Amino acid sequence: MKPTLDELFDQRQTYPDTDARTRLSRLIGLDEQKSRLAKILGLLVHPAGLEAWSNKHHPGATALLDTVLRRPPLVILAGDVGSGKTELAETIGDSVARLEKIDITLFPLSLATRGKGQVGEMTQLLTTAIDYTLAEAKKLQTVRGAKSNGGIILFVDEADALAQSRESSQMHHEDRAGVNAFIRGIDRLAQAKVPAAIIMCTNRLSALDPAVRRRAADILTFTRPDEAQRRHVLHERLEPLGLSKAQMDGLVTATGAGNGHGVGFTFSDLTQRLIPSIVLDAYPERAVDGKRAVEIAQQMTPTPAFRDQS
């Protein structure tokens, strides 16, 4: 029985979207990743833009254009937990939509596509997901050189659970077949030259199948926030509460790797754990106290680093 769209994809999203734009703007310290990812996706939607750039700055560089435009429509976002990969993947479509002045639709591939281990199930689910993505993207195609009428992003989170290396001796036959189906799907999207791209997120880059990694147009890496980035996140949200400079410095220090931990806080540790904890500690009887806020940060343990074993 052919899987339904609800079985294939989680909640689909269309851009431009105000909420996505706000979430994207809150990703501090990821300007390079934002810019590179938006450019790659933009070229898939409007490859003629690169041709216009070449004609203006490097006329006659046809081999250069062919090299850039022939890359598979796959980008891998890799790095530590809580570093902003998933949030960027879920919101970058808004930036592309506004830049190119078209609608972008995100198809988040459901982890249910791994199936229940039945023979042929995972392969069928992945093939159907690619089929649907390809069919929707073809509807948006226009004549060569013209901007498409829209774009599709197929988003695969926790990609190492779906496209793990076939070199593993412990890999089940059905899992191998599923990875083969996924690789064929990447190639089909590339050959069709449709306005569609795949974004994969993983904490374990080395666990991805080598054939998948080789097909990536780019691999963007993500790390935990440094001192300046942590200060920006904390200051933006806590400055209105009247904390002193010394207290803010204390928070920045307490959330770094030098506070008895091997690693510092992740972006999500700061925004989803520490700051809410500071607020809830004071609510509802009293105002937030800077000294107490530092104590909470010192007592909190950052999310352990994910070990990417080769």
Side-chain angles (χ1 to χ4, degrees), residues 154-168:
L154 177 61
F155 172 42
V156 184
D157 203 3
E158 300 183 29
D160 45 276
L162 188 67
Q164 60 183 300
S165 176
R166 292 165 295 175
E167 298 173 345
S168 171

Side-chain angles (χ1 to χ4, degrees), residues 8-71:
L8 293 173
F9 306 112
D10 293 326
Q11 187 173 358
R12 281 153 280 171
Q13 176 70 51
T14 300
Y15 312 101
D17 177 77
T18 302
D19 179 63
R21 187 180 194 181
T22 300
R23 289 167 57 193
L24 184 61
S25 68
R26 289 174 178 166
L27 288 174
I28 306 301
L30 300 180
D31 291 345
E32 180 181 356
Q33 291 93 329
K34 289 181 186 179
S35 176
R36 285 167 59 185
L37 186 54
K39 287 179 181 180
I40 292 171
L41 299 176
L43 288 181
L44 289 169
V45 173
H46 187 211
L50 188 66
E51 295 178 11
W53 168 84
S54 177
N55 290 336
K56 178 179 179 181
H57 298 285
H58 306 284
T62 54
L64 173 67
L65 290 182
D66 185 64
T67 299
V68 175
L69 294 177
R70 283 175 60 87
R71 294 186 302 172

Side-chain angles (χ1 to χ4, degrees), residues 23-31 33-34 79-88 221-234 236-237 255-256 263-276 300 302-304:
R23 289 167 57 193
L24 184 61
S25 68
R26 289 174 178 166
L27 288 174
I28 306 301
L30 300 180
D31 291 345
Q33 291 93 329
K34 289 181 186 179
D80 207 348
V81 295
S83 54
K85 304 183 302 296
T86 299
E87 187 74 355
L88 178 59
T221 57
F222 294 72
T223 59
R224 299 191 179 213
D226 58 22
E227 179 177 324
Q229 292 168 335
R230 296 198 308 277
R231 185 179 298 278
H232 182 96
V233 171
L234 293 166
E236 182 181 58
R237 292 158 176 80
T255 54
V263 293
F265 281 40
T266 67
F267 281 109
S268 58
D269 284 337
L270 295 174
T271 60
Q272 298 178 21
R273 297 176 59 215
L274 176 59
I275 293 174
M300 188 171 288
T303 300

Side-chain angles (χ1 to χ4, degrees), residues 53-129:
W53 168 84
S54 177
N55 290 336
K56 178 179 179 181
H57 298 285
H58 306 284
T62 54
L64 173 67
L65 290 182
D66 185 64
T67 299
V68 175
L69 294 177
R70 283 175 60 87
R71 294 186 302 172
L74 169 65
V75 183
I76 297 174
L77 312 186
D80 207 348
V81 295
S83 54
K85 304 183 302 296
T86 299
E87 187 74 355
L88 178 59
E90 290 179 345
T91 58
I92 193 63
D94 181 78
S95 178
V96 178
R98 294 179 190 277
L99 179 65
E100 300 294 341
K101 297 180 174 57
I102 57 172
D103 287 344
I104 299 291
T105 304
L106 180 75
F107 292 159
L109 192 64
S110 172
L111 287 179
T113 50
R114 285 179 292 180
K116 301 176 183 178
Q118 299 176 9
V119 176
E121 182 184 23
M122 180 176 170
T123 301
Q124 182 188 28
L125 287 165
L126 285 170
T127 300
T128 304

Side-chain angles (χ1 to χ4, degrees), residues 122-190:
M122 180 176 170
T123 301
Q124 182 188 28
L125 287 165
L126 285 170
T127 300
T128 304
I130 295 292
D131 285 345
Y132 183 78
T133 301
L134 184 57
E136 291 299 301
K138 284 182 175 179
K139 296 176 184 177
L140 304 172
Q141 274 183 307
T142 55
V143 296
R144 177 175 172 79
K147 184 185 296 185
S148 68
N149 294 319
I152 305 292
I153 299 174
L154 177 61
F155 172 42
V156 184
D157 203 3
E158 300 183 29
D160 45 276
L162 188 67
Q164 60 183 300
S165 176
R166 292 165 295 175
E167 298 173 345
S168 171
S169 60
Q170 299 178 350
M171 194 175 193
H172 190 276
H173 171 74
E174 170 58 15
D175 292 331
R176 294 179 190 273
V179 175
N180 288 334
F182 189 71
I183 292 171
R184 289 195 299 271
I186 296 172
D187 292 341
R188 288 171 58 203
L189 286 178

